Amino acid sequence: MAIIKKYLKSKPICKVTFDLDGVEADNVFLTGNFNDWNLTDTPLKKYKNGKFKATLDLEKDKSYEFRYIIDGVYVNDVHADEYEWNDF
């Protein structure tokens, strides 16, 4: 799992790439406060080499919460900047 951030000088956004490698799954989705915790709005694309990736344009200088849904199971990213407890 990796999170890659690219800040744009021309816009107040950050391109954030969520990259999952070595995950054996049929479907991976990303859910979080950026998509109102919708379970299917943000799928990760599966590549031939087995990686899953998605890139989002997120407002910079803002904190986001997210989780992966890997074949229906919620998974935290061990490379997240920080963790915050919530009831979900």
Side-chain angles (χ1 to χ4, degrees), residues 9 13 16 18 25-27 29-30 33 35 39 41-44 47-48 51 58-60 62 65 69 76 78 83 85:
K9 293 180 182 180
I13 63 168
V16 182
F18 298 87
D26 292 320
N27 297 299
F29 293 90
L30 188 62
N33 57 355
N35 69 2
L39 303 181
D41 267 1
T42 313
L44 275 72
Y47 290 86
K48 290 180 182 180
K51 282 188 176 190
L58 299 176
E59 185 180 331
K60 74 177 206 176
K62 189 173 178 182
E65 297 176 13
I69 305 171
N76 289 327
V78 297
Y83 291 95
W85 174 260

Side-chain angles (χ1 to χ4, degrees), residues 4-88:
I4 303 158
K5 300 175 187 176
K6 183 177 180 181
Y7 293 92
L8 301 181
K9 293 180 182 180
S10 61
K11 296 180 182 179
I13 63 168
C14 179
K15 289 194 172 287
V16 182
T17 300
F18 298 87
D19 187 347
L20 295 171
D21 192 9
V23 175
E24 292 186 27
D26 292 320
N27 297 299
V28 178
F29 293 90
L30 188 62
T31 187
N33 57 355
F34 51 82
N35 69 2
D36 293 324
W37 295 98
N38 187 292
L39 303 181
T40 59
D41 267 1
T42 313
L44 275 72
K45 182 178 177 182
K46 185 175 185 176
Y47 290 86
K48 290 180 182 180
N49 62 4
K51 282 188 176 190
F52 288 87
K53 281 187 180 183
T55 300
L56 303 178
D57 290 346
L58 299 176
E59 185 180 331
K60 74 177 206 176
D61 300 327
K62 189 173 178 182
S63 180
Y64 295 93
E65 297 176 13
F66 72 95
R67 293 184 86 181
Y68 296 105
I69 305 171
I70 301 174
D71 287 341
V73 177
Y74 287 93
V75 177
N76 289 327
D77 192 325
V78 297
H79 299 290
D81 293 341
E82 61 184 80
Y83 291 95
E84 186 170 316
W85 174 260
N86 67 36
D87 292 332
F88 300 103

